[in-house]
Amino acid sequence: MAQGWSWSGFFDYLFNPYILGGAVTTLWLTLAAIAGGLVLGCTLALARLSKYRWLSVPAHFYIWVFRGTPLLVQLIIIYTGLPQLGLRLSVIESALLGLILNEAAYLAEIVRGGIQGVPLGQTNAARAVGFSGAQAMRYIVMPQALRLIVPTLGNSVNGLLKTTSIASVISMEELLRRTQVLIQEKFMVLELFIVAAIYYLVMTTAWDFVQRRIERHFGRAYSNTAAPAQGEAAAAAVVEQR
């Protein structure tokens, strides 16, 4: 190893409670951001698909802005810019708000793509047997769209686990921020950054196993050729159940 490497320092901080606390913060920050982003993202996706321009245009503008600007800039604006307008948020509130608003823009496109990936014939079949537009979306389109949405959504969670590190710039005490604090105190740069990298690798690997189980549960998307007939059968089955 390079000169100056400290094995004792590396192992001392591998299970350090302060670092572990930062990893826990990273986890709940990820879960909160993905939950909030999914709720807002679904709303934006439905607005984007709306035939009413007063819904689709603002939703498209929101997605354009938040996908077209860096999360780092968004967090700085929220944490340091909003107080100039009289809205002062704590570090946690700023980090959560920034991550949710940013993630919602990407999740909205994932959900929209999944919905549009279901052949139109399935919606038509549902409407033909008496479903309203909302019922067709709930009972026919969304269950099949989930087969397209879930794999990409899982990748978003994986990415968000690492993206939370950007919140360290506004002093959010997640994993990277706590690592930097210890580096300033102990001057063990390489050892501590490798410890942080291991924590991120463990969390993303654990999520990879969870994601695979979720994907197996929902299965693969319908093929374009089989989907219309399956959609008609599904619509008829739901009608009989109701």
Side-chain angles (χ1 to χ4, degrees):
M1 299 298 293
Q3 186 176 2
W5 171 268
S6 171
W7 281 109
S8 62
F10 170 76
F11 286 112
D12 283 344
Y13 288 102
L14 189 59
F15 301 103
N16 181 274
Y18 187 69
I19 293 288
L20 281 169
V24 170
T25 299
T26 292
L27 284 173
W28 72 253
L29 197 59
T30 300
L31 293 174
I34 203 71
L38 192 56
V39 171
L40 181 56
C42 288
T43 303
L44 289 168
L46 294 176
R48 280 274 281 128
L49 293 170
S50 174
K51 62 182 180 180
Y52 301 108
R53 289 182 58 82
W54 61 273
L55 283 174
S56 61
V57 172
H60 178 74
F61 179 77
Y62 175 98
I63 294 169
W64 172 67
V65 169
F66 279 90
R67 291 185 69 194
T69 56
L71 174 60
L72 176 60
V73 174
Q74 296 165 16
L75 285 172
I76 292 173
I77 289 174
I78 291 171
Y79 185 61
T80 64
L82 291 184
Q84 299 181 33
L85 302 177
L87 181 58
R88 192 174 300 276
L89 301 175
S90 67
V91 171
I92 294 177
E93 291 170 340
S94 299
L96 276 175
L97 180 62
L99 289 169
I100 289 173
L101 293 178
N102 181 269
E103 194 66 18
Y106 290 92
L107 294 181
E109 290 298 274
I110 291 173
V111 173
R112 182 179 67 86
I115 292 173
Q116 291 184 323
V118 177
L120 184 60
Q122 307 222 16
T123 302
N124 294 336
R127 298 300 295 270
V129 295
F131 275 53
S132 66
Q135 289 174 324
M137 179 65 69
R138 178 181 175 183
Y139 294 111
I140 304 301
V141 177
M142 283 308 298
Q144 296 175 67
L146 283 174
R147 299 170 183 265
L148 300 172
I149 293 170
V150 165
T152 312
L153 179 61
N155 293 335
S156 294
V157 176
N158 187 296
L160 188 57
L161 271 167
K162 295 170 284 186
T163 303
T164 54
S165 61
I166 297 177
S168 63
V169 299
I170 60 172
S171 301
M172 180 68 192
E173 287 208 7
E174 42 67 66
L175 178 57
L176 180 60
R177 175 64 180 174
R178 291 198 171 192
T179 301
Q180 293 170 330
V181 169
L182 287 176
I183 287 173
Q184 293 171 0
E185 294 177 356
K186 307 300 181 181
F187 303 102
M188 291 189 293
V189 178
L190 184 58
E191 293 90 340
L192 283 165
F193 272 134
I194 289 181
V195 167
I198 290 172
Y199 273 90
Y200 281 116
L201 188 59
V202 168
M203 288 188 289
T204 54
T205 301
W207 170 250
D208 185 57
F209 284 111
V210 174
Q211 180 181 348
R212 290 180 184 179
R213 291 182 65 88
I214 294 173
E215 288 181 16
R216 283 198 297 269
H217 174 74
F218 283 97
R220 295 184 178 275
Y222 291 112
S223 67
N224 288 334
T225 56
Q230 291 170 333
E232 293 172 7
V238 173
V239 170
E240 290 177 359
Q241 292 173 1
R242 296 176 69 247

